[in-house]
Amino acid sequence: MEILKTKSALIFFGVFLFASTAYTQDLASMKDAFANSSTYEENMEYSKAIAEILAVYDASSYETNIRLGWLYYEYGSYTTSAKYYAAAIVLMPYSIEARLGYVLPQKALGNWDLVKAAYEVILKIDPMNSYANYNMGLIYYNNKDYQSAYTYLEKVANLYPFDYDITMLYAWTNYQMGKLREAKILFTKALLISPGDASATEGLSLIK
Amino acid sequence: MHRIIIAISIALTICTSAYSQDTIDFATANNKTLQYTNESKWDSVIYYGTLALKNNIDYFFLRQRIGIAYYSLKNYFKAIDHFEKALQFSSSDAATIKYLYYCYLFTNRENERRLLESGMNENIKKSIGLKSKKIIISSIYIEGGTVICDNFKRNENTDVNKEYKFYGEADLNNNINYLQAGLTHPVSKRITIYHGIQLIQMDKMKIMSAYNHTPGDKITEVSYDSTFYMMPPPAHYIYDTIYTIHQTYNKTNHTEKKSSTLKQLDYYISCNIHTKRGIDVVPFFHYLNVKYTSLFVNIQKILFNAVDSIILHTQVWLPDSGGPNIVDTVLISTNAHADTLYTYPFPKSKVTLSNFVAGLSFSKYFGRSKVTVFGSFSNLNNKKQIEAGAGIIYFPKGNMNLYTGGTFTFLYEKNQNRAVCHVLAGFKILKKMWIEGSSTLGRVLNFTENNGYFVYNNPDAIIFSAGLKPIFVFNRFDISLNYRYLIKEAQYITYTSGSDYEYNKINYSGHSITGGVRWRF
């Protein structure tokens, strides 16, 4: 009986040692792969960077999926990029970074409905996310739906009152809605942020 | 050995290249479709785009480029498929919306066009030249015409009695004039209603010819009979003078021809519901009110004593027989034979028919075809009909420049089931002019088509028709003219005895000339 107990303990210890070693080896190879892919990425050798990550790819790994999403986006393979970002979202549903990443290839593919849907989910998780609010405002502005654009831009304008991009877009939205007094104030503020700015100057001239 | 190796290598190369032609990566598909779109090489755009789709590469710009390629090649049906898919990726893209709008316009897909227009923002509408005001009437349709027949000329003098000389009748229908007007109302972005009225006048002539039995001369035959009786005494003779009276009758022909005008007032309504799956569901109802005055036969039987007998019965006693010398005369009258005779008075009567047709149809576009299935129920001319059928229209070039198709309909009517086949083909001959030819085979009688819009309730069957229809399409209105040649079949009744009758067929032809204008708002 004692011999059996000893044998079981030895077997269990052996398996544990093996698993620990394997896990340590996995981490090490992952580290190396990520390091190498970063190097290749800096040199704009995207296919090699991708190959490094694919060698250690694990479908259940958020890190490899989101990394591949980015690398494929840089490589220009937008449909594949979107696929990996989508996989990352499934693994971490509350990840805003994965959703912001997902938006990049979808914009490049022209899939604006999917872009809007992604921003809407981000805003459900983080209602004051400035990037999502700004871009939703921009999408609606480009579709000439100024009322909807205003709803989003008003939020970010209050969060970042001295940001040039936000101030300019908010100013033009006010102008398009006929809120000329507010537009004038915003165009003037934009000129404080970026003196001599052509767009702000044009806006003011239109109001006059 | 070397030759075998070379042969295998060549075979492998072919297989590999064939495989590689079936595969494409995103970058190649994106670059090629963009490049060829910029160079307006539409066949190449379609080739690479289709290959990308086969390799599960699908995104907005790809669909848009393929759609533009098909649009540029005027294959609007194919372009529609890709633009619709593109809008699933990016529903507010102005350029795609405009392309799709024109595709719907050029392919007469009115329901899809209206639905797309309802979702457009003001800027897109303005750029296409659409007004955003709400309209109650989207179009008015007026049509009128005449059918010129030679039924009277051909069959007015038909001997409806033939050799039987009892009774016969023919109900001849001739020229038809009609006028109809209808309105289309957009109720919502997916529902439109069309309704209209129609006035029809038709020339009728009822020919009724009867051989009435009228009393003629009486013919009397005299015969004698005598009998001698010895016993019982006294002996006597009985002399009978038998008068047999035959009443003759004559058959007198009485023919009347009554001309009248049938007047029919119709009301038609249909509702087109464009569902989310792209199926057009159309319930329809057509009411017909028919009035005319005609003659009808009233067959009357007369019981008639054809033969009477009168017997003068005289008894004569022999002289010296010891009996009285009496001449005893008795008159005996018998009705030996009764006969049935017929008389046919023609009273006038007004006829009013209230008939209807109700039904449902479903249609959907599949690629370059439009498929329809339909069914209806009606009670035309006091009979019940159930119709069911299917139709298809195929646009081989993906646009309205050429189309062909047909419908096949089964009609169930007690003891008179039949099938009708309608075929058509149309093509564009000038910038704004189309010409459409069609033909109908089968017995068109108590028949409806085109979602119950056309109702053939004329008692005479159309056994063949063929026609040509030039159509002129302008921005705000369409004009159509329609010539149709018809061969019609009518029936007349001949009584072969006092109570038995047969139907006989007569043919005639007709020329239908109609014209219509649809004004769009």
Side-chain angles (χ1 to χ4, degrees), chain A residues 75-80 107-114 116 139 143-146, chain B residues 26-27 30 56-62 86-93 121 123:
Chain A
Y75 184 52
S77 190
Y78 302 128
T79 48
T80 312
K107 276 186 187 175
L109 293 169
N111 297 342
W112 287 102
D113 281 10
L114 294 173
K116 263 172 64 178
I139 289 169
N143 288 338
K144 296 182 171 56
D145 182 356
Y146 302 119
Chain B
F26 170 81
N30 193 46
N56 296 318
I57 298 167
D58 195 359
Y59 56 101
F60 170 76
F61 288 126
L62 183 75
L87 286 178
Q88 286 177 18
F89 287 117
S90 184
S91 55
S92 53
D93 186 78
N121 64 40
N123 291 297

Side-chain angles (χ1 to χ4, degrees), chain A residues 110-171:
Chain A
N111 297 342
W112 287 102
D113 281 10
L114 294 173
V115 170
K116 263 172 64 178
Y119 282 137
E120 280 164 2
V121 174
I122 289 171
L123 289 171
K124 275 190 190 155
I125 299 168
D126 179 9
M128 301 308 279
N129 186 290
S130 59
Y131 187 79
N133 274 300
Y134 174 80
N135 278 284
M136 283 293 275
L138 183 60
I139 289 169
Y140 280 113
Y141 184 90
N142 288 333
N143 288 338
K144 296 182 171 56
D145 182 356
Y146 302 119
Q147 184 61 52
S148 299
Y150 185 91
T151 315
Y152 292 99
L153 294 170
E154 189 185 26
K155 261 193 245 177
V156 283
N158 284 312
L159 288 172
Y160 298 94
F162 209 62
D163 179 271
Y164 170 76
D165 290 323
I166 292 168
T167 304
M168 276 308 303
L169 187 58
Y170 191 42

Side-chain angles (χ1 to χ4, degrees), chain B residues 143-315:
Chain B
E143 184 181 292
T146 185
V147 183
I148 301 165
C149 301
D150 62 358
N151 197 8
F152 287 177
K153 191 177 166 186
R154 269 203 214 185
N155 300 309
E156 195 179 2
N157 297 314
T158 301
D159 178 11
V160 294
N161 282 296
K162 296 174 82 174
E163 68 273 24
Y164 302 105
K165 298 193 186 320
F166 277 92
Y167 168 75
E169 71 171 50
D171 200 350
L172 302 183
N173 301 297
N174 210 47
N175 296 344
I176 300 169
N177 296 310
Y178 83 97
L179 181 67
Q180 60 170 295
L183 303 172
T184 305
H185 304 280
V187 173
S188 71
K189 62 183 181 183
R190 291 187 181 275
I191 300 175
T192 54
I193 289 177
Y194 175 83
H195 65 144
I197 59 167
Q198 183 170 256
L199 299 166
I200 298 174
Q201 281 190 330
M202 182 168 72
D203 296 334
K204 289 180 75 70
M205 183 192 290
K206 189 79 176 270
I207 301 171
M208 303 181 82
S209 181
Y211 281 86
N212 290 321
H213 294 101
T214 53
D217 297 330
K218 283 188 181 176
I219 298 170
T220 306
E221 289 174 358
V222 185
S223 59
Y224 302 94
D225 189 21
S226 63
T227 312
F228 175 70
Y229 292 93
M230 258 315 267
M231 296 297 286
H236 59 279
Y237 280 100
I238 294 172
Y239 293 98
D240 284 330
T241 304
I242 303 163
Y243 297 93
T244 305
I245 303 158
H246 298 271
Q247 173 68 70
T248 62
Y249 59 88
N250 299 320
K251 280 192 178 180
T252 311
N253 181 259
H254 170 213
T255 297
E256 271 197 52
K257 288 181 185 176
K258 163 84 180 144
S259 294
S260 64
T261 303
L262 176 147
K263 289 182 183 171
Q264 180 174 315
L265 176 65
D266 291 12
Y267 177 73
Y268 173 81
I269 185 165
S270 69
C271 178
N272 192 309
I273 305 162
H274 186 69
T275 66
K276 282 184 180 172
R277 287 179 181 264
I279 299 172
D280 288 318
V281 180
V282 183
F284 54 86
F285 181 79
H286 195 145
Y287 171 73
L288 306 94
N289 183 272
V290 183
K291 283 184 182 163
Y292 61 95
T293 303
S294 190
L295 297 173
F296 292 88
V297 69
N298 190 358
I299 301 174
Q300 291 178 347
K301 290 183 188 175
I302 302 167
L303 277 180
F304 171 76
N305 295 326
V307 178
D308 279 334
S309 296
I310 299 174
I311 301 172
L312 207 64
H313 180 76
T314 306
Q315 291 184 121

Side-chain angles (χ1 to χ4, degrees), chain B residues 394 396 400-405 424-428 434-437:
Chain B
Y394 177 59
M400 297 293 289
N401 289 356
L402 177 66
Y403 55 92
T404 184
L424 72 91
F427 60 93
K428 188 174 181 179
W434 277 257
I435 200 132
E436 196 175 283

